[in-house]
Amino acid sequence: MATKREEHVRKPDWLKIKLNTNESYTGLKKLMREKNLHTVCEEAKCPNIHECWAERKTATFMILGDICTRACRFCAVKSGLPNELDEQEPERVADSVRIMDLKHVVITAVARDDLNDKGATIFAETVRAIRRKSPFTTVEVLPSDMGGSEENLRILMDARPNIFNHNIETVRRLTPKVRAIATYERTLEVLRRCKEMYADIPTKSSVMLGLGETKEEILETMDDLRAVDVDILTLGQYMQPTKKHLKIKKYWTPEEFAELRDIAFSKGFKHCESGPLVRSSYHADEQVNAAQKNIQSAK
């Protein structure tokens, strides 16, 4: 019988992170606290927070509070009964984007299954507030599946974000084990509907590796995403946030990630970020430019 020590998968050297805590990083962190704002960069323990905040002038804001109505087994965000809706949050987020002169911002949120519109209205108002105060900042949205409601999705899409991002997270077989409430097919349906509403807005999705998926299953997921015309794909290594979360089954190597990136491009994705430290919002500022350029050239 295997011991706990034998079952543990050792963390490889390529996952070591270089920290940068310059004025851009410390200033943004201070501003978040002053404005009572949350970022998924902090809540989800993203390994790239120092690079994005300190060097790239990008950030991912998490709106609608910091308590999620779902409890996915990979996610470090708190779950439980959400806070009351903060209707002033869109303006505070927009003020922070303007003050920090961010060139690209990702707006994500905890799932709010307790709200009739699942948070779509606040999402849309946040996009519009940023556009008013920082017209040159590109805006990416990363919402939940909005309860599968086309009406809720329309509310958000009518704000015309620069990128619509909705993560499929894992392969079909592992979805029931990894995600709570969300389903593989619903994610594909959300991404398909977005393209039907606004064909010119790039869509994006992300897959975590290391949960026990096979290479063949990853390729199948790529095909499913391309079947609904997803433009951008990100592939990254799953990192276990706490001992209570799903265990890591495998560390995929940088060489394997590079191979998957080449395959993604061969399947027709307009842009792909693939690497051990890649997260959904990694180099998001470059993704919007690359995807829009490739979409235009394909016309």
Side-chain angles (χ1 to χ4, degrees), residues 7-199:
E7 291 171 355
H8 176 72
V9 183
R10 183 182 292 276
K11 186 176 180 179
D13 290 340
W14 60 74
L15 286 171
K16 292 179 180 178
I17 305 161
K18 182 180 179 181
L19 303 184
N20 185 342
T21 54
N22 66 13
E23 289 183 6
S24 293
Y25 174 84
T26 55
L28 188 52
K29 191 176 183 69
K30 182 173 182 286
L31 186 66
M32 297 299 177
R33 302 296 79 79
E34 291 174 349
K35 295 285 187 180
N36 191 29
L37 296 172
H38 306 282
T39 69
V40 76
C41 318
E42 296 171 291
E43 297 287 341
K45 307 182 191 312
C46 180
N48 307 305
I49 184 171
H50 294 84
E51 178 185 355
C52 293
W53 286 19
E55 300 171 25
R56 305 189 71 87
K57 302 278 284 188
T58 65
T60 302
F61 290 83
M62 189 172 73
I63 62 173
L64 298 170
D66 62 346
I67 302 176
C68 186
T69 54
R70 303 181 184 182
C72 297
R73 296 188 65 203
F74 67 88
C75 184
V77 176
K78 293 177 289 187
S79 61
L81 296 175
N83 304 319
E84 290 185 12
L85 201 60
D86 182 356
E87 296 184 354
Q88 300 305 311
E89 191 172 40
E91 295 298 325
R92 294 204 313 278
V93 170
D95 285 340
S96 299
V97 171
R98 176 183 55 80
I99 292 168
M100 294 305 297
D101 192 26
L102 298 178
K103 63 178 182 178
H104 182 81
V105 61
V106 181
I107 306 300
T108 189
V110 292
R112 290 298 301 260
D113 297 310
D114 58 312
L115 301 175
N116 289 334
D117 71 350
K118 313 306 181 193
T121 301
I122 294 292
F123 248 112
E125 289 176 356
T126 302
V127 174
R128 293 189 175 104
I130 293 170
R131 289 269 165 72
R132 287 196 308 271
K133 298 181 179 183
S134 302
F136 299 108
T137 301
T138 50
V139 184
E140 176 178 333
V141 293
L142 175 54
S144 72
D145 54 26
M146 296 289 167
S149 164
E150 186 167 355
E151 180 181 354
N152 292 341
L153 189 59
R154 172 70 70 177
I155 291 171
L156 173 54
M157 291 303 292
D158 282 349
R160 291 193 60 84
N162 294 94
I163 288 184
F164 179 87
N165 183 356
H166 183 53
N167 292 336
I168 202 158
E169 307 292 10
T170 190
V171 300
R172 187 188 301 272
R173 174 177 60 86
L174 294 177
T175 295
K177 178 182 179 181
V178 173
R179 306 173 77 186
I181 301 178
T183 68
Y184 189 90
E185 292 300 334
R186 181 184 284 181
T187 292
L188 293 174
E189 181 66 11
V190 167
L191 291 162
R192 182 188 66 78
R193 285 176 174 173
C194 282
K195 273 297 181 181
E196 289 181 350
M197 291 178 187
Y198 291 101

Side-chain angles (χ1 to χ4, degrees), residues 276-295:
L277 292 175
V278 167
R279 295 296 178 265
S280 181
S281 301
Y282 187 65
H283 290 188
D285 53 322
E286 295 177 359
Q287 293 170 21
V288 63
N289 296 326
Q292 288 178 335
K293 181 179 178 180
N294 288 332
I295 289 172

Side-chain angles (χ1 to χ4, degrees), residues 204-207 232-236 272-273 278-280 287:
K204 171 180 169 183
S205 198
S206 180
V207 183
I232 302 168
L233 176 66
T234 60
L235 301 168
C272 178
E273 291 282 350
V278 167
R279 295 296 178 265
S280 181
Q287 293 170 21

Side-chain angles (χ1 to χ4, degrees), residues 260-280:
L260 290 172
R261 180 179 184 274
D262 291 341
I263 293 172
F265 276 112
S266 73
K267 289 181 178 292
F269 287 99
K270 306 298 189 300
H271 190 77
C272 178
E273 291 282 350
S274 181
L277 292 175
V278 167
R279 295 296 178 265
S280 181

